[in-house]
Amino acid sequence: MSEGPGSGAGSSESLGGLAEREGWRVEGPAARVHYEGEGDRYSVEYYAPSDCVIYWKVPPEGDGETAVPVGRDTVPTPLRERIRLDLDAAGIDPGVERRNL
């Protein structure tokens, strides 16, 4: 595990660590992964400057709707656990996944 809150925050090394994880893409100071399961689609973003994770609910393709941010309590537990594991493996404190915005 990482040493504490903010460890790795804003570091290009940490974002590079996320880029090495399955499905993650780094874009500037942020990293994103997409998840689809049980009929739901999510985009998950980690922002290095603010050291936070945001979940977006993505509508079905062709729906014409746009993605909207959602609260963590609406996100499936297995997805949240996977995000924490990926953060930890990248050298980012996995506790940031639980931070309220």
Side-chain angles (χ1 to χ4, degrees):
M1 285 232 182
S2 300
E3 293 178 14
S7 60
S11 147
S12 61
E13 183 177 303
S14 296
L15 287 174
L18 280 178
E20 293 174 5
R21 305 295 296 169
E22 181 182 348
W24 285 89
R25 282 191 348 234
V26 173
E27 298 171 3
R32 173 181 301 132
V33 65
H34 296 279
Y35 167 84
E36 187 170 346
E38 298 182 24
D40 291 324
R41 297 173 56 205
Y42 292 91
S43 178
V44 183
E45 298 175 340
Y46 168 74
Y47 293 92
S50 55
D51 204 26
C52 67
V53 173
I54 298 177
Y55 291 92
W56 297 81
K57 181 88 178 240
V58 179
E61 285 194 49
D63 192 351
E65 298 292 320
T66 59
V68 295
V70 294
R72 282 166 187 73
D73 58 337
T74 67
V75 177
T77 300
L79 174 56
R80 292 190 61 201
E81 290 171 350
R82 180 211 164 165
I83 299 306
R84 288 192 296 269
L85 288 171
D86 285 350
L87 291 170
D88 190 40
I92 301 167
D93 176 13
V96 303
E97 186 275 336
R98 293 183 175 97
R99 290 177 55 195
N100 290 323
L101 303 177

